[in-house]
Amino acid sequence: MRKSSVQEELARITGMGLEEIQDEFVSLVEMQRHIMPDPERLTVFGNYDIFGMTLPTTVVGGDYYDFVDLDGRFGLQGRMALVIADASGHGLVAAMLIRDFNTALYTAISFESHYARDTTKLLFPKINRRMFWSSQPNQFITAFYGELQLDGTLRYTNAGHHSPLLFQKDEIVSLDTGGLRGVMSSFRDLLLTHRETLNLLNVYPVPDGDT
């Protein structure tokens, strides 16, 4: 299909001109950057310097991470949330799912911190219900959620996500709480033995035939 034909088809579907469509994509890129930490800045929590980054295969995508200041923003003393999530699909549709997940996450934390004065095992069921009603049947999100505490405890749950790997000196720990049932699972606690270093790596298996 010729470039002019593609532009005409986009204009027909969206009701916008090419420049308007480009402006919308720029806005979407900025929105996705806004809901994730700045990769050029460290997040400081106690003795921890926290850093993360994601590299989308397209302009925007379905990969997400966040460091949520539970103490400063929600009054949950001495805690920092570490969140990793992945939306099904690629590009614009996945980015929109991630935006919805970000909203559901902060809404659920706000609700729990206000009424329960804590984050409970109901946190992810609340997020799950919100995402169920705001997504299509063929869309889904998996997520890992951990709360790092000043005493070195990592309290975490896994909602169907590939288990992140925790590297500690000579030990590698897979942070799993039960696979797809993780959306309903309780939190687990892990005491970090080397509090000055916390290396979390998110690993995605490569299907046969992919490189």
mmCIF file of all heavy atoms in Angstrom, residues 46-80:
data_model
loop_
_atom_site.group_PDB
_atom_site.id
_atom_site.type_symbol
_atom_site.label_atom_id
_atom_site.label_comp_id
_atom_site.label_asym_id
_atom_site.label_seq_id
_atom_site.Cartn_x
_atom_site.Cartn_y
_atom_site.Cartn_z
ATOM 1 N N GLY A 46 15.933 4.755 51.869
ATOM 2 C CA GLY A 46 16.840 4.285 52.914
ATOM 3 C C GLY A 46 18.245 4.138 52.362
ATOM 4 O O GLY A 46 18.818 5.083 51.812
ATOM 5 N N ASN A 47 18.809 2.930 52.494
ATOM 6 C CA ASN A 47 20.144 2.650 51.969
ATOM 7 C C ASN A 47 20.129 2.152 50.534
ATOM 8 O O ASN A 47 21.171 1.748 50.013
ATOM 9 C CB ASN A 47 20.847 1.609 52.858
ATOM 10 C CG ASN A 47 21.138 2.141 54.242
ATOM 11 O OD1 ASN A 47 21.431 3.323 54.405
ATOM 12 N ND2 ASN A 47 21.047 1.278 55.253
ATOM 13 N N TYR A 48 18.965 2.172 49.910
ATOM 14 C CA TYR A 48 18.839 1.641 48.557
ATOM 15 C C TYR A 48 18.784 2.772 47.521
ATOM 16 O O TYR A 48 18.054 3.752 47.688
ATOM 17 C CB TYR A 48 17.564 0.802 48.426
ATOM 18 C CG TYR A 48 17.574 -0.464 49.242
ATOM 19 C CD1 TYR A 48 17.020 -0.487 50.527
ATOM 20 C CD2 TYR A 48 18.127 -1.636 48.746
ATOM 21 C CE1 TYR A 48 17.026 -1.640 51.283
ATOM 22 C CE2 TYR A 48 18.138 -2.803 49.501
ATOM 23 C CZ TYR A 48 17.583 -2.791 50.766
ATOM 24 O OH TYR A 48 17.594 -3.936 51.516
ATOM 25 N N ASP A 49 19.535 2.611 46.458
ATOM 26 C CA ASP A 49 19.396 3.425 45.253
ATOM 27 C C ASP A 49 18.680 2.566 44.220
ATOM 28 O O ASP A 49 19.202 1.523 43.802
ATOM 29 C CB ASP A 49 20.761 3.867 44.719
ATOM 30 C CG ASP A 49 21.457 4.840 45.655
ATOM 31 O OD1 ASP A 49 20.765 5.541 46.401
ATOM 32 O OD2 ASP A 49 22.702 4.885 45.643
ATOM 33 N N ILE A 50 17.504 2.977 43.792
ATOM 34 C CA ILE A 50 16.651 2.142 42.946
ATOM 35 C C ILE A 50 16.611 2.718 41.535
ATOM 36 O O ILE A 50 16.394 3.916 41.333
ATOM 37 C CB ILE A 50 15.229 2.043 43.523
ATOM 38 C CG1 ILE A 50 15.285 1.582 44.987
ATOM 39 C CG2 ILE A 50 14.376 1.087 42.710
ATOM 40 C CD1 ILE A 50 13.936 1.586 45.684
ATOM 41 N N PHE A 51 16.803 1.844 40.567
ATOM 42 C CA PHE A 51 16.867 2.260 39.168
ATOM 43 C C PHE A 51 16.190 1.200 38.307
ATOM 44 O O PHE A 51 16.248 0.001 38.592
ATOM 45 C CB PHE A 51 18.322 2.421 38.732
ATOM 46 C CG PHE A 51 18.514 2.502 37.241
ATOM 47 C CD1 PHE A 51 18.315 3.701 36.568
ATOM 48 C CD2 PHE A 51 18.868 1.389 36.503
ATOM 49 C CE1 PHE A 51 18.481 3.779 35.202
ATOM 50 C CE2 PHE A 51 19.030 1.452 35.127
ATOM 51 C CZ PHE A 51 18.842 2.657 34.481
ATOM 52 N N GLY A 52 15.546 1.630 37.234
ATOM 53 C CA GLY A 52 14.945 0.687 36.303
ATOM 54 C C GLY A 52 14.814 1.303 34.930
ATOM 55 O O GLY A 52 14.895 2.524 34.761
ATOM 56 N N MET A 53 14.608 0.447 33.935
ATOM 57 C CA MET A 53 14.382 0.943 32.583
ATOM 58 C C MET A 53 13.688 -0.135 31.766
ATOM 59 O O MET A 53 13.720 -1.322 32.096
ATOM 60 C CB MET A 53 15.701 1.341 31.903
ATOM 61 C CG MET A 53 16.656 0.188 31.624
ATOM 62 S SD MET A 53 18.187 0.735 30.821
ATOM 63 C CE MET A 53 17.529 1.465 29.314
ATOM 64 N N THR A 54 13.003 0.294 30.712
ATOM 65 C CA THR A 54 12.376 -0.617 29.774
ATOM 66 C C THR A 54 12.608 -0.089 28.365
ATOM 67 O O THR A 54 12.650 1.124 28.148
ATOM 68 C CB THR A 54 10.861 -0.771 30.045
ATOM 69 O OG1 THR A 54 10.283 -1.664 29.094
ATOM 70 C CG2 THR A 54 10.141 0.570 29.980
ATOM 71 N N LEU A 55 12.769 -1.000 27.412
ATOM 72 C CA LEU A 55 13.034 -0.626 26.024
ATOM 73 C C LEU A 55 11.931 -1.201 25.138
ATOM 74 O O LEU A 55 11.975 -2.378 24.767
ATOM 75 C CB LEU A 55 14.404 -1.157 25.569
ATOM 76 C CG LEU A 55 15.619 -0.631 26.346
ATOM 77 C CD1 LEU A 55 16.892 -1.361 25.911
ATOM 78 C CD2 LEU A 55 15.774 0.867 26.139
ATOM 79 N N PRO A 56 10.899 -0.410 24.811
ATOM 80 C CA PRO A 56 9.809 -0.917 23.969
ATOM 81 C C PRO A 56 10.289 -1.196 22.550
ATOM 82 O O PRO A 56 11.193 -0.527 22.052
ATOM 83 C CB PRO A 56 8.786 0.225 23.998
ATOM 84 C CG PRO A 56 9.584 1.454 24.300
ATOM 85 C CD PRO A 56 10.708 1.008 25.200
ATOM 86 N N THR A 57 9.672 -2.194 21.922
ATOM 87 C CA THR A 57 10.046 -2.529 20.547
ATOM 88 C C THR A 57 9.447 -1.552 19.545
ATOM 89 O O THR A 57 9.892 -1.481 18.411
ATOM 90 C CB THR A 57 9.577 -3.959 20.201
ATOM 91 O OG1 THR A 57 8.163 -4.052 20.422
ATOM 92 C CG2 THR A 57 10.287 -4.978 21.071
ATOM 93 N N THR A 58 8.422 -0.815 19.975
ATOM 94 C CA THR A 58 7.832 0.226 19.138
ATOM 95 C C THR A 58 7.874 1.544 19.914
ATOM 96 O O THR A 58 8.453 1.614 20.996
ATOM 97 C CB THR A 58 6.380 -0.129 18.747
ATOM 98 O OG1 THR A 58 5.618 -0.350 19.940
ATOM 99 C CG2 THR A 58 6.347 -1.383 17.888
ATOM 100 N N VAL A 59 7.249 2.576 19.379
ATOM 101 C CA VAL A 59 7.291 3.887 20.028
ATOM 102 C C VAL A 59 6.741 3.808 21.442
ATOM 103 O O VAL A 59 7.288 4.381 22.385
ATOM 104 C CB VAL A 59 6.505 4.926 19.204
ATOM 105 C CG1 VAL A 59 6.499 6.279 19.905
ATOM 106 C CG2 VAL A 59 7.106 5.062 17.807
ATOM 107 N N VAL A 60 5.645 3.097 21.636
ATOM 108 C CA VAL A 60 5.075 2.818 22.953
ATOM 109 C C VAL A 60 4.806 1.327 23.033
ATOM 110 O O VAL A 60 4.773 0.631 22.018
ATOM 111 C CB VAL A 60 3.778 3.615 23.206
ATOM 112 C CG1 VAL A 60 4.058 5.099 23.328
ATOM 113 C CG2 VAL A 60 2.758 3.344 22.094
ATOM 114 N N GLY A 61 4.615 0.825 24.247
ATOM 115 C CA GLY A 61 4.405 -0.608 24.377
ATOM 116 C C GLY A 61 3.746 -0.989 25.676
ATOM 117 O O GLY A 61 3.247 -0.142 26.422
ATOM 118 N N GLY A 62 3.769 -2.303 25.956
ATOM 119 C CA GLY A 62 3.056 -2.850 27.102
ATOM 120 C C GLY A 62 3.922 -3.206 28.280
ATOM 121 O O GLY A 62 3.462 -3.885 29.209
ATOM 122 N N ASP A 63 5.191 -2.791 28.293
ATOM 123 C CA ASP A 63 6.054 -3.043 29.440
ATOM 124 C C ASP A 63 5.923 -1.893 30.432
ATOM 125 O O ASP A 63 5.861 -0.723 30.046
ATOM 126 C CB ASP A 63 7.517 -3.171 29.013
ATOM 127 C CG ASP A 63 7.743 -4.385 28.122
ATOM 128 O OD1 ASP A 63 7.031 -5.384 28.323
ATOM 129 O OD2 ASP A 63 8.601 -4.319 27.239
ATOM 130 N N TYR A 64 5.925 -2.241 31.717
ATOM 131 C CA TYR A 64 5.685 -1.225 32.750
ATOM 132 C C TYR A 64 6.473 -1.564 33.997
ATOM 133 O O TYR A 64 6.621 -2.734 34.372
ATOM 134 C CB TYR A 64 4.194 -1.198 33.084
ATOM 135 C CG TYR A 64 3.800 -0.336 34.260
ATOM 136 C CD1 TYR A 64 3.586 1.032 34.102
ATOM 137 C CD2 TYR A 64 3.619 -0.895 35.525
ATOM 138 C CE1 TYR A 64 3.205 1.829 35.184
ATOM 139 C CE2 TYR A 64 3.230 -0.108 36.603
ATOM 140 C CZ TYR A 64 3.028 1.252 36.425
ATOM 141 O OH TYR A 64 2.652 2.020 37.490
ATOM 142 N N TYR A 65 7.006 -0.536 34.628
ATOM 143 C CA TYR A 65 7.569 -0.686 35.960
ATOM 144 C C TYR A 65 7.342 0.617 36.713
ATOM 145 O O TYR A 65 7.154 1.676 36.118
ATOM 146 C CB TYR A 65 9.061 -1.042 35.908
ATOM 147 C CG TYR A 65 9.953 0.104 35.472
ATOM 148 C CD1 TYR A 65 10.566 0.919 36.412
ATOM 149 C CD2 TYR A 65 10.173 0.368 34.123
ATOM 150 C CE1 TYR A 65 11.375 1.981 36.020
ATOM 151 C CE2 TYR A 65 10.983 1.412 33.717
ATOM 152 C CZ TYR A 65 11.584 2.212 34.679
ATOM 153 O OH TYR A 65 12.371 3.263 34.289
ATOM 154 N N ASP A 66 7.383 0.532 38.036
ATOM 155 C CA ASP A 66 7.194 1.739 38.836
ATOM 156 C C ASP A 66 7.770 1.508 40.220
ATOM 157 O O ASP A 66 7.877 0.368 40.694
ATOM 158 C CB ASP A 66 5.701 2.082 38.938
ATOM 159 C CG ASP A 66 5.462 3.542 39.327
ATOM 160 O OD1 ASP A 66 6.453 4.283 39.499
ATOM 161 O OD2 ASP A 66 4.295 3.925 39.454
ATOM 162 N N PHE A 67 8.170 2.597 40.850
ATOM 163 C CA PHE A 67 8.587 2.602 42.248
ATOM 164 C C PHE A 67 7.634 3.552 42.970
ATOM 165 O O PHE A 67 7.643 4.754 42.715
ATOM 166 C CB PHE A 67 10.032 3.091 42.395
ATOM 167 C CG PHE A 67 10.985 2.471 41.413
ATOM 168 C CD1 PHE A 67 11.862 3.261 40.674
ATOM 169 C CD2 PHE A 67 11.010 1.099 41.208
ATOM 170 C CE1 PHE A 67 12.732 2.704 39.770
ATOM 171 C CE2 PHE A 67 11.881 0.524 40.292
ATOM 172 C CZ PHE A 67 12.745 1.331 39.574
ATOM 173 N N VAL A 68 6.812 3.005 43.831
ATOM 174 C CA VAL A 68 5.749 3.791 44.464
ATOM 175 C C VAL A 68 6.149 4.115 45.904
ATOM 176 O O VAL A 68 6.350 3.200 46.725
ATOM 177 C CB VAL A 68 4.402 3.036 44.455
ATOM 178 C CG1 VAL A 68 3.295 3.923 45.011
ATOM 179 C CG2 VAL A 68 4.060 2.563 43.041
ATOM 180 N N ASP A 69 6.257 5.387 46.213
ATOM 181 C CA ASP A 69 6.604 5.829 47.557
ATOM 182 C C ASP A 69 5.381 5.671 48.465
ATOM 183 O O ASP A 69 4.577 6.584 48.620
ATOM 184 C CB ASP A 69 7.067 7.291 47.511
ATOM 185 C CG ASP A 69 7.499 7.810 48.876
ATOM 186 O OD1 ASP A 69 7.485 7.026 49.845
ATOM 187 O OD2 ASP A 69 7.851 9.006 48.961
ATOM 188 N N LEU A 70 5.243 4.484 49.057
ATOM 189 C CA LEU A 70 4.076 4.197 49.887
ATOM 190 C C LEU A 70 4.067 5.031 51.160
ATOM 191 O O LEU A 70 3.003 5.331 51.703
ATOM 192 C CB LEU A 70 4.044 2.711 50.248
ATOM 193 C CG LEU A 70 3.906 1.735 49.077
ATOM 194 C CD1 LEU A 70 3.988 0.299 49.572
ATOM 195 C CD2 LEU A 70 2.611 1.959 48.317
ATOM 196 N N ASP A 71 5.230 5.401 51.624
ATOM 197 C CA ASP A 71 5.337 6.225 52.821
ATOM 198 C C ASP A 71 4.905 7.659 52.527
ATOM 199 O O ASP A 71 3.971 8.196 53.127
ATOM 200 C CB ASP A 71 6.782 6.193 53.333
ATOM 201 C CG ASP A 71 6.926 6.810 54.720
ATOM 202 O OD1 ASP A 71 6.130 7.695 55.079
ATOM 203 O OD2 ASP A 71 7.857 6.418 55.446
ATOM 204 N N GLY A 72 5.554 8.289 51.569
ATOM 205 C CA GLY A 72 5.292 9.692 51.281
ATOM 206 C C GLY A 72 3.931 9.958 50.672
ATOM 207 O O GLY A 72 3.294 10.972 50.964
ATOM 208 N N ARG A 73 3.445 9.032 49.832
ATOM 209 C CA ARG A 73 2.186 9.272 49.114
ATOM 210 C C ARG A 73 0.964 8.706 49.812
ATOM 211 O O ARG A 73 -0.145 9.226 49.661
ATOM 212 C CB ARG A 73 2.275 8.687 47.696
ATOM 213 C CG ARG A 73 3.347 9.320 46.835
ATOM 214 C CD ARG A 73 3.214 8.929 45.388
ATOM 215 N NE ARG A 73 1.973 9.397 44.797
ATOM 216 C CZ ARG A 73 1.717 9.381 43.493
ATOM 217 N NH1 ARG A 73 2.639 8.928 42.656
ATOM 218 N NH2 ARG A 73 0.572 9.815 43.026
ATOM 219 N N PHE A 74 1.152 7.596 50.560
ATOM 220 C CA PHE A 74 -0.020 6.912 51.114
ATOM 221 C C PHE A 74 0.068 6.683 52.624
ATOM 222 O O PHE A 74 -0.817 6.051 53.196
ATOM 223 C CB PHE A 74 -0.220 5.563 50.404
ATOM 224 C CG PHE A 74 -0.482 5.695 48.928
ATOM 225 C CD1 PHE A 74 0.529 5.451 48.000
ATOM 226 C CD2 PHE A 74 -1.724 6.090 48.464
ATOM 227 C CE1 PHE A 74 0.298 5.587 46.642
ATOM 228 C CE2 PHE A 74 -1.968 6.222 47.100
ATOM 229 C CZ PHE A 74 -0.951 5.975 46.185
ATOM 230 N N GLY A 75 1.130 7.163 53.252
ATOM 231 C CA GLY A 75 1.228 7.065 54.703
ATOM 232 C C GLY A 75 1.544 5.682 55.238
ATOM 233 O O GLY A 75 1.341 5.420 56.430
ATOM 234 N N LEU A 76 2.019 4.768 54.380
ATOM 235 C CA LEU A 76 2.408 3.435 54.825
ATOM 236 C C LEU A 76 3.896 3.487 55.164
ATOM 237 O O LEU A 76 4.755 3.374 54.287
ATOM 238 C CB LEU A 76 2.110 2.390 53.749
ATOM 239 C CG LEU A 76 0.637 2.286 53.331
ATOM 240 C CD1 LEU A 76 0.460 1.270 52.217
ATOM 241 C CD2 LEU A 76 -0.237 1.930 54.529
ATOM 242 N N GLN A 77 4.196 3.623 56.416
ATOM 243 C CA GLN A 77 5.520 4.012 56.877
ATOM 244 C C GLN A 77 6.611 3.015 56.500
ATOM 245 O O GLN A 77 6.468 1.808 56.655
ATOM 246 C CB GLN A 77 5.508 4.192 58.405
ATOM 247 C CG GLN A 77 6.763 4.818 58.963
ATOM 248 C CD GLN A 77 6.607 5.172 60.426
ATOM 249 O OE1 GLN A 77 5.581 4.881 61.046
ATOM 250 N NE2 GLN A 77 7.616 5.801 60.991
ATOM 251 N N GLY A 78 7.717 3.561 55.990
ATOM 252 C CA GLY A 78 8.914 2.773 55.741
ATOM 253 C C GLY A 78 8.787 1.753 54.634
ATOM 254 O O GLY A 78 9.394 0.684 54.700
ATOM 255 N N ARG A 79 8.034 2.059 53.562
ATOM 256 C CA ARG A 79 7.848 1.086 52.481
ATOM 257 C C ARG A 79 7.977 1.749 51.112
ATOM 258 O O ARG A 79 7.547 2.887 50.908
ATOM 259 C CB ARG A 79 6.471 0.427 52.554
ATOM 260 C CG ARG A 79 6.198 -0.333 53.822
ATOM 261 C CD ARG A 79 4.896 -1.100 53.671
ATOM 262 N NE ARG A 79 4.190 -1.218 54.927
ATOM 263 C CZ ARG A 79 2.982 -1.737 55.048
ATOM 264 N NH1 ARG A 79 2.349 -2.185 53.982
ATOM 265 N NH2 ARG A 79 2.391 -1.812 56.229
ATOM 266 N N MET A 80 8.544 1.012 50.193
ATOM 267 C CA MET A 80 8.615 1.412 48.791
ATOM 268 C C MET A 80 8.127 0.233 47.946
ATOM 269 O O MET A 80 8.623 -0.883 48.072
ATOM 270 C CB MET A 80 10.048 1.764 48.398
ATOM 271 C CG MET A 80 10.257 2.064 46.918
ATOM 272 S SD MET A 80 9.547 3.648 46.404
ATOM 273 C CE MET A 80 10.674 4.790 47.208
#
